[in-house]
Amino acid sequence: MVTVRDVAAAAGVSISTVSRALSAPGMVAAGTRDRVAAIAEQLGYQPNRAAASLRAGRKGALGLLVPDLANPYFAAVAKGVAERAREHGLGVFVVDSDEDPAAEVDLLRHLVHQTDGVILASPRAIDADVDVIGPRPVVVVNQDGPLAVVTDTDGGMRLALEHLRGLGHRRIAYVGGPASSWSDARRRGALREAAATGADVVALGHYPPTVAGGAAAAVAVAESGATAAITFNDVVAVGLVRAVRERGLRVPEDLSVVGWDDTYLAALASPPLTSVGSDLREVGRSATDLLVARLGGAPGAREVTVLPGTLSVRDSTGPAPR
Amino acid sequence: MVTVRDVAAAAGVSISTVSRALSAPGMVAAGTRDRVAAIAEQLGYQPNRAAASLRAGRKGALGLLVPDLANPYFAAVAKGVAERAREHGLGVFVVDSDEDPAAEVDLLRHLVHQTDGVILASPRAIDADVDVIGPRPVVVVNQDGPLAVVTDTDGGMRLALEHLRGLGHRRIAYVGGPASSWSDARRRGALREAAATGADVVALGHYPPTVAGGAAAAVAVAESGATAAITFNDVVAVGLVRAVRERGLRVPEDLSVVGWDDTYLAALASPPLTSVGSDLREVGRSATDLLVARLGGAPGAREVTVLPGTLSVRDSTGPAPR
DNA sequence: GTGAAAGCGCTAACAC
DNA sequence: GTGTTAGCGCTTTCAC
């Protein structure tokens, strides 16, 4: 293993100069710096992260806790985190709680210990668990917290409603997700606001965020008298479409359906789903940026990044019947 | 931060005893061990991994390199790896090459340096790069290598062909994936074997492993005269189904389609896809086990785990036309 | 079975 | 601008 000593000997300088040349280039004369860098490169020197961590107190890695990596939503966020972290020279420890909230606290405790800070992408995580985290910065995604990245639910809901109203729909149903979901609560809030301005909207649920959940909502949607439905997420939309078709109705001719999250699933579904979304990868990137900005610095103030909502119009929405 | 010194002081023993009690319990008297453990617990002691790494030369983490975390196939494998690694008390550094073969080598070099060993899931570019890895164990998934986990392609192909033959299909097309894909090559081999025993099979492609790729194959499938198609993966199957329908044909009445990988996409598609697969999570678990077994030990012999292929029959396959 | 002591490779004061 | 030096917290000889 090549160490700073080897590089120092080969370059004819001290080990501190090597260390500085590589990690604080501004403190070293340009000539020395380049020579050291060249020799380090040539020798194949790779700094030992464990040693650097131990000495500097930084771990050089951040943690990402997700409920389910196989969920396209979290996978996309994870990609954004991984991408940006790499640009910052940080590793990413990924932990999957397998949708088990009880395990999350424990996982988080361990994660915190091997990272400089964590990103919690879990919708129903951790409240009182700030104590688990200690002084380390934590960024939450679509959740309340001092450091947070959220997508613009109100804007997204507005886009969806405007789109449907433009197609002539008057009564619109929302197929809600789990009661514990922060996002779901936000969307219901947006719906109430819309209702206050005279819109004819009805919130259904709570339904599980699955195909079965969407299918289970079909009856309620039909009975609601709505000609269009906005669902908690794309998977629920798929379930709703399927169940509605089994009842002999067509999408979008008899019922328009708007998914949420705009995962790649929306494009693959039949029919391809109109879906409210936001750039998921950007969510991951923003969360990482927020975390990195806090890593070296002071505790600092509350900081929330709001990412715009988008509407991808595909084939699951059409003119209102009759 | 609680260190071994704090625990030692509280327990009235030396730091070496604390260290041993916690990481080599057999070398310490039972009474002492339990007392130390209790006090460590009570004080909330968490060993500093960086220090342990530095001293012991182990990193306590393994690396996982995937081409695309948002691909349900790799996401499922990653979940298996994360799950099993946790059981072994190891962290997982996840790196996503974003389907960029050029980046793979560079990412791998870094990854190798912060882990005790790595798992390469379907590497696109790593062959001669064993030199990047040095002495560390590397497990490859669905690829050739001294340590490998592969799924039983021959068995999977056999299941698919038998299923289709049982439905009366005589001429069967395979919609192939990228030329660089190891799996694709294996499947073509399995097809050749089947052809040698008299089956009427035709391999098409290479097509990109995307919806567009599947759609692009529709013409060739039609012209092949086949009444059933097996596709490179589920996404390709979705594209094929879509394009075939646009030509006015029905699935499965006019064309049966078998996907591959049996990702959750298969169950969500319309119609739900019959798909060849294997337990993806188990792939991740097996790869982790293989790696962990090699971590402490000698170089050892070549070792390949073969996981059985399965066939999930859904609605995209039916009796042959006429 | 337990303790004392020597570092693992690096960074950050502190001198010069 | 560069060198010297003191550890970071832990594991692991080596004594006893």
Side-chain angles (χ1 to χ4, degrees):
Chain A
M1 174 171 239
V2 185
T3 75
V4 274
R5 313 193 96 83
D6 302 317
V7 179
V13 296
S14 73
I15 59 166
S16 8
T17 299
V18 173
S19 175
R20 280 190 284 248
L22 268 27
S23 51
M27 296 175 66
V28 173
T32 318
R33 187 204 319 133
D34 296 345
R35 189 156 44 86
V36 169
I39 290 180
E41 170 73 39
Q42 178 196 327
L43 261 43
Y45 170 71
Q46 298 269 128
N48 180 321
R49 298 178 74 110
S53 289
L54 179 55
R55 183 60 244 235
R58 292 180 249 100
K59 305 279 189 277
L62 51 82
L64 173 64
L65 179 61
V66 295
D68 181 12
L69 208 45
N71 178 322
Y73 179 90
F74 298 111
V77 172
K79 275 184 81 89
V81 171
E83 175 189 345
R84 189 51 58 89
R86 181 148 49 84
E87 293 170 12
H88 286 291
L90 296 166
V92 181
F93 270 108
V94 176
V95 173
D96 183 321
S97 70
D98 233 349
E99 298 280 7
D100 178 2
E104 273 179 6
V105 177
D106 203 47
L107 290 171
L108 184 57
R109 197 193 320 278
H110 285 275
L111 194 55
V112 158
H113 225 81
Q114 38 197 281
T115 57
D116 296 321
V118 302
I119 296 172
L120 297 180
S122 192
R124 44 187 162 292
I126 329 284
D127 291 315
D129 303 74
V130 183
D131 56 329
V132 172
I133 291 154
R136 284 197 189 67
V138 176
V139 174
V140 294
V141 173
N142 277 336
Q143 183 112 194
D144 279 321
L147 253 37
V149 175
V150 300
T151 50
D152 181 5
T153 313
D154 292 5
M157 190 59 89
R158 198 177 333 111
L159 286 172
L161 291 175
E162 277 169 10
H163 169 65
L164 292 172
R165 312 274 272 290
L167 288 168
H169 296 275
R170 289 294 160 258
R171 184 163 172 79
I172 298 167
Y174 168 67
V175 178
S180 57
S181 163
W182 185 88
S183 303
D184 188 64
R186 292 296 302 259
R187 296 192 208 153
R188 286 170 192 268
L191 280 175
R192 275 192 297 275
E193 276 184 37
T197 66
D200 184 12
V201 293
V202 50
L204 309 174
H206 308 274
Y207 294 95
T210 58
V211 170
V219 172
V221 169
E223 287 178 351
S224 75
T227 59
I230 300 170
T231 63
F232 178 68
N233 67 22
D234 292 335
V235 175
V236 169
V238 167
L240 177 61
V241 167
R242 191 176 286 181
V244 157
R245 280 177 166 173
E246 278 168 12
R247 294 167 63 91
L249 300 176
R250 291 159 304 160
V251 174
E253 290 81 356
D254 299 311
L255 180 74
S256 283
V257 174
V258 177
W260 201 293
D261 286 345
D262 199 16
T263 55
Y264 69 81
L265 188 60
L268 291 179
S270 290
L273 300 172
T274 295
S275 187
V276 176
S278 53
D279 186 339
L280 262 20
R281 221 159 142 161
E282 182 59 31
V283 169
R285 286 196 215 101
S286 296
T288 308
D289 286 340
L290 216 51
L291 187 59
V292 169
R294 235 12 113 69
L295 280 188
R302 187 180 164 75
E303 195 167 339
V304 178
T305 302
V306 179
L307 262 24
T310 59
L311 183 73
S312 301
V313 177
R314 299 198 183 85
D315 306 341
S316 65
T317 49
R322 183 127 19 114
Chain B
M1 174 173 241
V2 184
T3 75
V4 274
R5 313 194 95 82
D6 301 318
V7 179
V13 296
S14 73
I15 61 167
S16 356
T17 299
V18 173
S19 175
R20 280 190 284 250
L22 267 28
S23 50
M27 297 177 65
V28 172
T32 318
R33 187 210 314 138
D34 295 346
R35 190 157 40 88
V36 169
I39 290 180
E41 171 74 40
Q42 178 195 328
L43 260 42
Y45 170 72
Q46 300 267 130
N48 180 322
R49 298 178 76 107
S53 292
L54 178 56
R55 183 61 243 239
R58 291 178 251 99
K59 305 280 190 279
L62 52 83
L64 173 65
L65 180 60
V66 295
D68 180 12
L69 206 46
N71 178 322
Y73 179 89
F74 297 113
V77 173
K79 275 183 81 89
V81 171
E83 175 189 345
R84 190 51 59 89
R86 181 147 49 85
E87 292 171 14
H88 286 291
L90 296 167
V92 180
F93 270 109
V94 176
V95 173
D96 182 324
S97 69
D98 233 348
E99 296 282 6
D100 178 2
E104 261 182 14
V105 178
D106 202 50
L107 291 171
L108 181 58
R109 196 192 320 276
H110 285 276
L111 194 55
V112 157
H113 224 82
Q114 38 197 282
T115 57
D116 295 321
V118 302
I119 296 171
L120 302 179
S122 303
R124 314 295 203 219
I126 315 285
D127 289 317
D129 302 74
V130 183
D131 56 327
V132 171
I133 292 155
R136 285 197 188 67
V138 175
V139 174
V140 293
V141 173
N142 278 337
Q143 185 95 212
D144 278 322
L147 254 38
V149 175
V150 300
T151 51
D152 181 5
T153 313
D154 292 5
M157 189 60 88
R158 195 175 337 108
L159 287 172
L161 291 176
E162 277 169 10
H163 170 65
L164 292 172
R165 311 272 273 289
L167 288 168
H169 296 275
R170 290 295 159 254
R171 184 163 172 79
I172 297 167
Y174 169 66
V175 178
S180 59
S181 164
W182 184 88
S183 303
D184 188 64
R186 293 296 301 259
R187 296 191 209 156
R188 285 170 192 269
L191 281 176
R192 275 193 297 274
E193 275 183 37
T197 66
D200 184 12
V201 293
V202 51
L204 308 175
H206 305 276
Y207 294 95
T210 58
V211 170
V219 173
V221 169
E223 288 178 352
S224 74
T227 58
I230 300 170
T231 62
F232 178 68
N233 67 21
D234 292 335
V235 175
V236 169
V238 167
L240 177 61
V241 167
R242 192 175 287 180
V244 157
R245 280 177 167 173
E246 278 169 9
R247 295 167 63 92
L249 300 177
R250 292 158 305 160
V251 174
E253 290 82 356
D254 300 310
L255 180 75
S256 282
V257 174
V258 176
W260 202 293
D261 286 347
D262 199 16
T263 56
Y264 70 81
L265 188 58
L268 291 178
S270 290
L273 300 171
T274 294
S275 188
V276 176
S278 54
D279 187 338
L280 264 19
R281 221 158 140 163
E282 184 58 31
V283 169
R285 285 194 215 101
S286 297
T288 308
D289 286 340
L290 217 49
L291 187 60
V292 168
R294 235 12 113 71
L295 279 188
R302 186 181 166 74
E303 196 167 337
V304 177
T305 302
V306 179
L307 263 23
T310 59
L311 182 73
S312 301
V313 176
R314 299 199 183 83
D315 305 341
S316 64
T317 49
R322 183 134 18 117

